[in-house]
Amino acid sequence: MNPGRLPNFFCIGAPRAGTTWLYESLSQHPETFVPTLKELNYFIRSEYRSSAHRGEDWYRSLFVATEKPQVKLWGDISPRYYYQEDTPFLIRDLVPNARLLLMLRHPV
C-alpha cells in the first residue's frame, strides 16, 4: 500500500474569503493535488492533542494521487487553522518547509 505523503502547502483563512473557490480551482489543475475532503482540520488543537486523533499515517493516506502522476503541489485547505494560534507551529514541526497561504477578505 502507498503510504501517501505530506502536503507542501496549507491554505488558511477567514470564512467567506474564497477558500472553496481556491479548493475547486486547484483540484482541477493537473499539477496540484488536494484531498477529496476540503477541510481536514488535522492540526486543530482540540483534536490534534486528543487520544482520538487519527495520526500521521491517516493524514498521509489522504495525499495519494495515483490518477495525477505529475503532481508538484500537495495542499491542505483548512480555513479553521487561522483561528488556532499554535497551528503554524504544529505544521512546522511535521512539515518544516511547507508554505502557508492566508486568505482574507475585505471587511465591507
Side-chain angles (χ1 to χ4, degrees):
M1 177 177 166
N2 188 341
R5 56 176 299 130
L6 292 171
N8 53 18
F9 78 92
F10 294 82
C11 178
I12 62 177
R16 316 279 315 149
T19 57
T20 299
W21 170 83
L22 181 67
Y23 170 81
E24 291 171 359
S25 297
L26 291 176
S27 68
Q28 296 174 23
H29 194 283
E31 295 182 350
T32 305
F33 178 85
V34 289
T36 306
L37 178 63
K38 176 187 163 212
E39 298 184 26
L40 302 175
N41 297 321
Y42 179 77
F43 294 98
I44 296 297
R45 180 183 325 116
S46 60
E47 298 168 24
Y48 191 77
R49 295 199 171 109
S50 76
S51 60
H53 190 259
R54 295 180 177 171
E56 185 180 331
D57 288 341
W58 172 81
Y59 189 59
R60 284 176 177 271
S61 75
L62 300 173
F63 295 94
V64 176
T66 55
E67 71 283 354
K68 291 173 112 179
Q70 66 278 24
V71 172
K72 295 178 183 169
L73 295 173
W74 304 78
D76 176 348
I77 300 178
S78 297
R80 283 183 55 202
Y81 293 163
Y82 176 69
Y83 298 100
Q84 304 291 315
E85 64 187 39
D86 59 345
T87 295
F89 302 104
L90 296 172
I91 291 172
R92 180 200 62 206
D93 291 346
L94 186 61
V95 192
N97 296 319
R99 303 284 189 226
L100 295 179
L101 173 63
L102 173 63
M103 294 189 72
L104 301 173
R105 64 185 179 107
H106 194 284
V108 174

